[in-house]
Amino acid sequence: IFTSMSLIAEEEFHITFNEENAKNWRYISDRTMGGISTGQAVLEKDGDIFFARLTGNVSTENNGGFIQLRSNLSFINLNKGGKKLKGVRLNVRGNGETYHIFIRTNETRSYSDFYSATFIAKSKWEIIDLPFTKFKRTFLDTKLEGKDIRIFAIVAYGRDFLSDVSVSNINFYY
């Protein structure tokens, strides 16, 4: 499915979704640990805009409860001349449900240790701004440092519902 990178001005690192870089993103569900959620992540196009769309049925049965679109961001360098990343900005649309961004860093050691923030994906394209100060770590009260990001995921999580969320751009800003 998914990404191409470009610098926008000097204040953002911009990831757009396109056909060329599917190898950088993958779909994962709770089935890897015995859950029964189903779904898919596909690349779609609306006019000139390519976007990733995560759809499916999230089920908490069998200790499950997630589907996600995830990337190991090792293919990009978010450290730009010592500037400190301040947050992430997404262009999203969806079915009015609450979704999550999960971020793993060099300090998060287990699959259940991550930083997260939530957003609501409304039916029309909308820019969602998530400063790193809004991200909370699952087990410790530590602050998210952008320079340490390793894994970035768009996640439908934590309750029984139908997922339908689309993301066309991811902008890390300084």
Side-chain angles (χ1 to χ4, degrees):
I1 322 176
F2 302 124
T3 64
S4 98
M5 292 100 22
S6 62
L7 288 175
I8 293 191
E10 289 197 343
E11 298 303 317
E12 292 185 349
F13 190 86
H14 183 72
I15 299 172
T16 57
F17 291 91
N18 67 40
E19 296 172 320
E20 296 172 17
N21 294 310
K23 65 184 185 273
N24 296 322
W25 294 88
R26 62 185 224 183
Y27 168 82
I28 298 171
S29 77
D30 58 21
R31 289 180 175 263
T32 62
M33 51 186 253
I36 64 167
S37 297
T38 59
Q40 66 178 353
V42 296
L43 182 67
E44 294 188 1
K45 191 173 182 183
D46 182 5
D48 292 336
I49 299 172
F50 280 100
F51 58 93
R53 186 174 183 188
L54 179 65
T55 59
N57 183 20
V58 180
S59 172
T60 56
E61 287 187 46
N62 290 349
N63 296 315
F66 73 88
I67 61 174
Q68 67 178 280
L69 177 61
R70 176 168 97 179
S71 178
N72 175 337
L73 294 182
S74 61
F75 66 96
I76 61 175
N77 181 5
L78 292 173
N79 297 317
K80 190 171 74 170
K83 287 187 177 183
K84 187 175 181 177
L85 278 176
K86 294 179 182 173
V88 62
R89 190 171 289 126
L90 311 167
N91 190 29
V92 302
R93 75 175 177 192
N95 60 351
E97 295 284 353
T98 298
Y99 295 94
H100 306 263
I101 298 299
F102 287 1
I103 292 177
R104 303 251 341 257
T105 68
N106 296 329
E107 281 73 43
T108 56
R109 301 287 180 211
S110 74
Y111 72 91
S112 60
D113 185 12
F114 52 85
Y115 292 89
S116 68
T118 62
F119 65 94
I120 296 173
K122 298 177 183 171
S123 63
K124 295 186 189 281
W125 287 109
E126 179 179 33
I127 302 295
I128 303 292
D129 192 13
L130 298 170
F132 288 152
T133 56
K134 288 188 177 182
F135 282 77
K136 303 295 179 209
R137 191 167 174 184
T138 48
F139 300 119
L140 300 171
D141 187 23
T142 59
K143 301 293 181 205
L144 174 58
E145 294 290 331
K147 66 180 175 47
D148 295 329
I149 294 173
R150 289 186 313 129
I151 294 172
F152 184 91
I154 302 152
V155 187
Y157 170 75
R159 65 192 195 290
D160 297 330
F161 73 106
L162 291 176
S163 168
D164 189 352
V165 60
S166 299
V167 180
S168 68
N169 294 307
I170 301 169
N171 301 307
F172 292 96
Y173 58 90
Y174 298 88

